[in-house]
């Protein structure tokens, strides 16, 4: 018998919160924080990927967002990615790719639907999430091995980018021009070369006409974001749609980078149809 997915966001559910290690070998240890709604039925799930300019943050960074999503009835796996300088490109895309496959392989254990798993990436986490999801079969990104006879794929049902860095090369030049030294340093630390910034680039991959996986996308962006070019979200939505994908953009007036990490009543969206 096929189970029906149970999602009742109008209710506020109790949640169980616990940490676990989803990958451990000689060079890799990935920690995740699980937010599990206490309710009956098959749950939709979401993988959360933190920001931090590829050099900071962990599985607790987006706790405020993750708790609210879980309370709405979503099973949330908050992934702690490896960070630079010890781990450079494409380490974080590998981490996301592995986490998707791991969660699908444990779907029955957590009473979630393996066919209804999305992703939410904030800032640089948006880059890592989108890059893995758009290139789910890239041999570089699925380099972290799993045990088992039937390994699931790394495809996701949908993507949410919250103030995401989807053109790291353009943002690198923006940071240089505006003397945002920590962004310059951290981008260089993760990507190592400008060629990597251009190659591992969701925006430019679309513009190059690569054969990409294009799940539905929601972009969330503040209009007063000081860490990104003002047209970054609009450019991505246009390119995504031109490539045949479904992308929506929700702008928030006067909101800065990372605004939803400290939510408040002034955060009201302005719906923009980017064409």
């Amino acid at each position: 018998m096929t189970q029906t997915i149970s999602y009742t966001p109008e209710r506020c559910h109790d949640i169980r919160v616990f940490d676990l290690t989803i990958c451990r070998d000689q060079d890799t240890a990935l920690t995740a924080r699980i937010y599990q709604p206490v309710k009956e039925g098959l749950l939709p799930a979401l993988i959360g990927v933190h920001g931090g300019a590829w050099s900071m943050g962990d599985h607790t960074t987006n706790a405020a967002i993750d708790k609210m999503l879980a309370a709405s009835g979503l099973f949330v796996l908050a992934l702690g990615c490896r960070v630079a300088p010890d781990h450079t490109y494409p380490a974080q895309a590998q981490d996301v790719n592995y986490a998707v496959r791991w969660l699908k392989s444990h779907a029955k254990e957590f009473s979630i639907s393996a066919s209804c798993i999305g992703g939410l990436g904030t800032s640089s986490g948006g880059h890592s999430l989108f890059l893995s999801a758009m290139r789910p079969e890239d041999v570089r990104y699925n380099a972290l091995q799993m045990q088992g006879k039937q390994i699931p794929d790394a495809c996701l049902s949908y993507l949410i980018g919250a103030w995401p860095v989807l053109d790291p090369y353009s943002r690198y030049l923006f940071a240089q021009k505006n003397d945002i030294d920590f962004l310059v340093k951290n981008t260089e630390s993760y990507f190592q070369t400008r060629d990597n910034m251009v190659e591992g680039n969701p925006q430019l991959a679309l513009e190059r006409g690569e054969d990409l996986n294009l799940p539905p996308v929601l972009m969330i962006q503040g209009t007063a974001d000081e860490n990104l070019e003002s047209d970054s979200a609009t450019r991505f939505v246009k390119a995504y749609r031109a490539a045949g994908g479904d992308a929506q953009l929700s702008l928030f007036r006067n909101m800065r980078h990372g605004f939803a990490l400290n939510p408040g009543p002034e955060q009201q969206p302005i719906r923009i149809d980017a064409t």
Side-chain angles (χ1 to χ4, degrees):
M1 180 182 295
T2 301
Q3 284 186 283
T4 302
I5 296 174
S6 174
Y7 183 54
T8 50
E10 69 278 4
R11 295 179 55 189
C12 185
H13 302 279
D14 292 333
I15 57 175
R16 292 180 59 233
V17 181
F18 56 96
D19 295 346
L20 49 79
T21 299
I22 64 172
C23 178
R24 185 183 298 279
D25 62 25
Q26 292 181 343
D27 301 313
T28 307
L30 297 180
T31 299
R33 176 159 289 182
I34 301 298
Y35 299 85
Q36 186 172 27
V38 180
K39 63 190 299 290
E40 297 296 326
L42 195 64
L43 299 171
L46 178 141
I47 291 177
V49 187
H50 64 84
W54 304 279
S55 304
M56 300 172 286
D58 60 22
H59 58 293
T60 69
T61 299
N62 292 342
I65 296 174
D66 298 332
K67 287 178 182 177
M68 287 188 291
L69 290 173
S72 78
L74 276 172
F75 177 99
V76 179
L77 183 152
L79 175 65
C81 291
R82 294 172 292 169
V83 297
D86 293 334
H87 303 282
T88 58
Y89 174 78
Q92 291 196 9
Q94 293 172 345
D95 298 345
V96 174
N97 186 291
Y98 180 90
V100 175
R101 291 181 282 130
W102 184 92
L103 187 56
K104 286 184 177 183
S105 69
H106 289 77
K108 289 185 179 179
E109 176 184 339
F110 294 119
S111 296
I112 65 174
S113 170
S115 63
C116 189
I117 300 177
L120 166 65
T122 58
S123 195
S124 61
H127 167 267
S128 302
L129 174 69
F130 277 58
L131 199 58
S132 172
M134 292 166 67
R135 296 171 173 171
E137 298 180 357
D138 193 304
V139 294
R140 298 167 301 168
Y141 301 165
N142 59 33
L144 297 180
Q145 299 299 309
M146 293 184 64
Q147 301 298 318
K149 294 181 180 179
Q150 293 184 328
I151 305 301
D153 62 42
C155 295
L156 288 168
S157 299
Y158 62 89
L159 302 174
I160 303 172
W163 50 95
V165 184
L166 298 179
D167 186 343
Y169 181 60
S170 179
R171 207 281 288 270
Y172 174 70
L173 298 179
F174 171 84
Q176 283 188 319
K177 179 180 178 180
N178 291 279
D179 298 320
I180 311 176
D181 293 338
F182 84 96
L183 290 181
V184 173
K185 178 182 177 181
N186 289 344
T187 305
E188 291 174 343
S189 181
Y190 180 66
F191 285 97
Q192 300 290 292
T193 69
R194 294 193 180 199
D195 285 346
N196 284 341
M197 297 178 203
V198 170
E199 187 282 321
N201 191 308
Q203 177 76 42
L204 297 184
L206 290 168
E207 295 176 6
R208 287 190 291 260
E210 292 185 20
D211 184 14
L212 301 167
N213 189 49
L214 301 175
V217 161
L218 171 64
M219 296 281 284
I220 298 171
Q221 184 64 53
T223 64
D225 193 317
E226 70 283 10
N227 282 6
L228 289 166
E229 311 95 307
S230 60
D231 66 342
S232 62
T234 303
R235 284 176 50 230
F236 185 82
V237 167
K238 288 182 177 180
Y240 206 83
R241 289 178 172 177
D246 178 6
Q248 302 297 322
L249 171 62
S250 186
L251 290 179
F252 287 72
R253 191 186 306 277
N254 299 325
M255 291 294 103
R256 303 180 69 181
H257 199 77
F259 66 92
L261 296 174
N262 296 290
E266 75 281 4
Q267 296 175 7
Q268 297 297 322
I270 319 162
R271 293 288 177 180
I272 301 291
D273 186 25
T275 57

